Amino acid sequence: CIKGPISEEVLLDSSVYFRLAAAGGICASIAHGLLVPLDTVKTRLQTAPKGTYDGPVDACIKVFRDEGGVPALLRGLQPEVVGFSIYGAFSFGGTEFCRRWVAQLVGPEGALLYPIPILMLGSAMASTLAIILTCPFMAVKTRLIADESFAGGSLLKGFNRIVTEEDWKASLFGGLAPLLLKDILFVLSKFVVFDLIKTSIYLYFPEARDSLSSTLLVSLLSGSLAGMMSAVVSQPGDYLFSKSSASSTANLGSAWATYWNNSRSTGQWSEILTGLPPRIVFSGALIAIQFVIYDYCRVQFHVSPNELMEFLDVMASVGPQAS
């Protein structure tokens, strides 16, 4: 059976890593797909001309009423599902692989003394590779949402248009730096906050350790709250990625310069927080949905119940954020 990522070590063969990757990919893709309308509202708030919407609720109403109904809310569905299936597979399976590799480097004593830092480092390494592979899909998704005339919501048409008509390297990877910043900050802060919340709950309610169901409930609650708090920490990277990927002429330099100049002239620096409320809701809901899906997947892929006990520790690295 598969042990938890920070519990007793067992030798894992390639089939185990495949099952971890498959479970992570399925969890991430389905959960992100279900929450695409929230991500669409967030991205429209960040990329539409200033003053288009009065807030998240107004944006949701206008996108649905004036911009195409349900299809408009689902314009980013294809790249979101495909991109996060890749992200989930590499980050979930890769986290366990990288964690074990780092643990071998530091030796048995170091692995025993610093399990959480080792897990965080392994997760950051896996997430870095995963986000590089996913970046083109997120860039296409942003273009599909920001420009309703771009490729008609089709992932393949979007890729084809960028490759044939634009500087594809700049268009697909121009937002990589802020995307990496957002993702690494999200992952690391979520690990820290998750551990603090879970420890505090057990401190005040030690009886919660007595059963599997109560332990899983604590993990679910801690993970959801940590995801919501980490959305705040990673917000600047998310805003800059959306701005730098919104059109063929946009890039990180222009996105930052525009924000800086506008903020200096108006004295209002809060624009970088645009889209934060839907991201907070997205991140909290994402953990809950992935938790339920993973419980099903672990049975289908023959993952032991003990794995579920540590699931949220690793699931922090499976892209539980709007991008």
Side-chain angles (χ1 to χ4, degrees):
C1 65
I2 305 172
K3 298 296 183 182
I6 58 174
S7 61
E8 180 183 352
E9 294 284 276
V10 294
L11 292 175
L12 301 183
D13 59 28
S14 58
S15 66
V16 175
Y17 288 114
F18 172 78
R19 296 202 302 271
L20 287 169
I26 291 172
C27 289
S29 62
I30 294 178
H32 278 81
L34 291 173
L35 295 174
V36 158
L38 265 178
D39 187 58
T40 297
V41 171
K42 183 271 301 182
T43 304
R44 290 295 297 161
L45 283 167
Q46 293 174 331
T47 58
K50 196 170 183 178
T52 302
Y53 310 112
D54 293 330
V57 175
D58 183 58
C60 184
I61 293 173
K62 287 182 176 178
V63 169
F64 181 79
R65 185 189 64 197
D66 304 331
E67 299 178 17
V70 173
L73 289 171
L74 299 179
R75 275 203 296 262
L77 179 63
Q78 292 181 22
E80 185 86 357
V81 170
V82 177
F84 275 98
S85 66
I86 296 172
Y87 187 100
F90 275 87
S91 60
F92 191 75
T95 291
E96 181 65 10
F97 179 85
C98 293
R99 183 196 68 81
R100 287 169 175 265
W101 181 73
V102 174
Q104 289 179 347
L105 288 181
V106 302
E109 184 176 352
L112 183 63
L113 291 174
Y114 307 108
I116 297 301
I118 289 173
L119 179 58
M120 291 173 66
L121 179 58
S123 178
M125 294 168 62
S127 293
T128 298
L129 173 60
I131 205 65
I132 291 172
L133 296 173
T134 310
C135 185
F137 296 92
M138 298 303 98
V140 172
K141 181 197 73 173
T142 302
R143 292 284 296 278
L144 290 173
I145 296 173
D147 181 0
E148 58 187 78
S149 65
F150 179 80
S154 169
L155 172 61
L156 292 179
K157 290 180 180 178
F159 267 123
N160 181 66
R161 181 169 175 179
I162 288 175
V163 171
T164 58
E165 299 180 13
E166 302 175 11
D167 179 355
W168 65 269
K169 293 180 182 178
S171 294
L172 296 179
F173 291 97
L176 180 59
L179 194 60
L180 281 171
L181 173 66
K182 179 196 75 167
D183 192 71
I184 298 302
L185 284 177
F186 190 98
V187 168
L188 297 183
S189 60
K190 188 178 186 304
F191 270 122
V192 173
V193 176
F194 174 81
D195 191 58
L196 288 174
I197 294 176
K198 188 169 71 169
T199 300
S200 299
I201 292 176
Y202 284 140
L203 180 64
Y204 288 99
F205 303 99
E207 64 276 8
R209 298 178 180 271
D210 295 341
S211 69
L212 176 63
S213 59
S214 61
T215 301
L216 294 178
L217 181 61
V218 169
S219 291
L220 174 59
L221 177 62
S222 301
S224 294
L225 291 175
M228 296 168 73
M229 293 181 185
S230 298
V232 178
V233 175
S234 61
Q235 173 64 18
D238 183 81
Y239 171 84
L240 289 174
F241 175 78
S242 291
K243 285 293 190 181
S244 61
S245 303
S247 70
S248 60
T249 58
N251 55 61
L252 177 57
S254 64
W256 174 254
T258 300
Y259 165 71
W260 180 261
N261 293 332
N262 289 344
S263 298
R264 286 186 64 186
S265 63
T266 62
Q268 301 291 326
W269 299 88
S270 60
E271 184 182 346
I272 204 166
L273 300 179
T274 302
L276 179 57
R279 281 197 75 227
I280 291 175
V281 176
F282 185 104
S283 299
L286 189 67
I287 289 295
I289 294 172
Q290 287 182 148
F291 192 94
V292 173
I293 297 172
Y294 186 81
D295 190 26
Y296 172 79
C297 287
R298 71 172 181 85
V299 175
Q300 301 302 313
F301 291 99
H302 307 292
V303 177
S304 73
N306 287 335
E307 177 68 11
L308 190 58
M309 297 288 289
E310 302 295 343
F311 161 63
L312 284 173
D313 287 23
V314 176
M315 213 60 191
S317 69
V318 188
Q321 70 270 15
S323 56

